Amino acid sequence: MSIIDWPKEQRPRERLLQHGAAALSDAELLAIFLRVGIPGKNAVELARDTLQRFGSLTTMLRVAEKDLALGSGVGPAKCSQLLAALELSRRAIHEELQEGSKLNSTKKVAEYLKLLFKNRERESFVILFLDVRNKLICMEELFSGTLNHAAVYPREVVKATLRHNAASVILAHNHPSGDPEPSEADITLTEALADALELIDVQLLDHFVVAGTRLYSFADHGKL
């Protein structure tokens, strides 16, 4: 059945306008992008089948980023639009933070970091430098490694912190494996960095491990 034949309150676009984007499923949001389906499938059915074929939204976007095509009905033009929307979301949140938002909640930081690391296949380590009011000075990616390891040197972290005159920092790195649980190496590194930063009177507020849509906070788990 064509979406236009659905009851108005069930159509994705009308639901978005009435309830907001958060109320829609991944398939419904993707259907709004696609606008039309293919013979035998409306846009929602095409979106649902596409997501099922790739297993997750993250995997789908990763494939789109590499190939700019996701199969029948989702060609280069639609993939380009999806990737452009993702990048706009990243930039909008980064711009909001740069305008002076306080990073005083796990939720706000998590939203930014999940977008920042989305679709990255290699492990990366970033630092968010904050002033005395917990406002973002800047974000810097210090290290990028192989699939499973990024070499992080406390000396470089301290140098960067002094360079930005930060009063506190938030650390973050991703786990491309999909499991946000910190490894023993992650725990040891966090302790070493906290000790190094303490020597220059800078507080380590948190260390986040991001794995797709999942996130682990050292502070929330009482490990800082």
Side-chain angles (χ1 to χ4, degrees):
M1 180 188 294
S2 172
I3 292 176
I4 200 171
D5 296 323
W6 290 9
K8 192 172 182 179
E9 66 275 8
Q10 294 181 14
R11 300 173 195 169
R13 187 176 290 110
E14 281 73 10
R15 290 190 62 230
L16 185 148
L17 293 173
Q18 184 174 358
H19 303 291
L24 274 65
S25 67
D26 290 346
E28 290 173 318
L29 290 170
L30 180 56
I32 291 175
F33 258 104
L34 298 178
R35 296 179 57 200
V36 296
I38 58 177
K41 293 180 182 177
N42 61 42
V44 172
E45 292 168 336
L46 175 60
R48 189 178 295 121
D49 287 352
T50 301
L51 287 168
Q52 288 177 347
R53 187 164 73 251
F54 291 102
S56 70
L57 182 62
T58 298
T59 302
M60 186 197 75
L61 289 170
R62 188 177 295 146
V63 172
E65 205 163 38
K66 286 183 175 180
D67 300 333
L68 282 181
L70 296 173
S72 180
V74 195
K78 293 298 182 185
C79 286
S80 296
Q81 291 175 16
L82 281 170
L83 295 175
L86 176 62
E87 184 59 26
L88 282 172
S89 297
R90 286 194 187 107
R91 295 185 186 189
I93 293 176
H94 190 253
E95 188 175 276
E96 179 186 351
L97 294 177
Q98 285 187 316
E99 287 173 354
S101 294
K102 286 187 177 182
L103 293 180
N104 52 9
S105 76
T106 299
K107 184 177 180 181
K108 182 175 289 187
V109 180
E111 182 182 8
Y112 174 63
L113 292 175
K114 286 176 183 178
L115 282 171
L116 177 69
F117 287 117
K118 199 170 188 66
N119 298 332
R120 294 200 186 189
E121 295 183 346
R122 294 184 179 276
E123 191 167 313
S124 300
F125 181 90
V126 304
I127 303 182
L128 281 67
F129 301 96
L130 300 105
D131 65 16
V132 292
R133 295 171 296 174
N134 279 353
K135 289 186 176 181
L136 182 69
I137 299 171
C138 70
M139 184 278 293
E140 186 173 327
E141 180 176 343
L142 286 190
F143 309 100
S144 180
T146 63
L147 183 65
N148 298 310
H149 178 70
V152 179
Y153 301 101
R155 180 184 63 226
E156 297 302 320
V157 172
V158 168
K159 284 172 59 179
T161 303
L162 291 172
R163 185 169 68 249
H164 294 296
N165 195 29
S168 59
V169 301
I170 294 173
L171 310 176
H173 76 280
N174 62 318
H175 278 182
S177 65
D179 183 3
E181 192 71 22
S183 64
E184 286 300 321
D186 292 335
I187 295 171
T188 300
L189 172 64
T190 303
E191 293 171 349
L193 290 175
D195 290 344
L197 290 166
E198 187 177 7
L199 292 174
I200 58 171
D201 198 27
V202 171
Q203 185 180 5
L204 173 56
L205 297 179
D206 209 338
H207 184 178
F208 292 93
V209 184
V210 184
T213 58
R214 302 165 65 197
L215 181 142
Y216 181 99
S217 162
F218 273 70
D220 285 353
H221 284 80
K223 293 190 175 181
L224 279 180

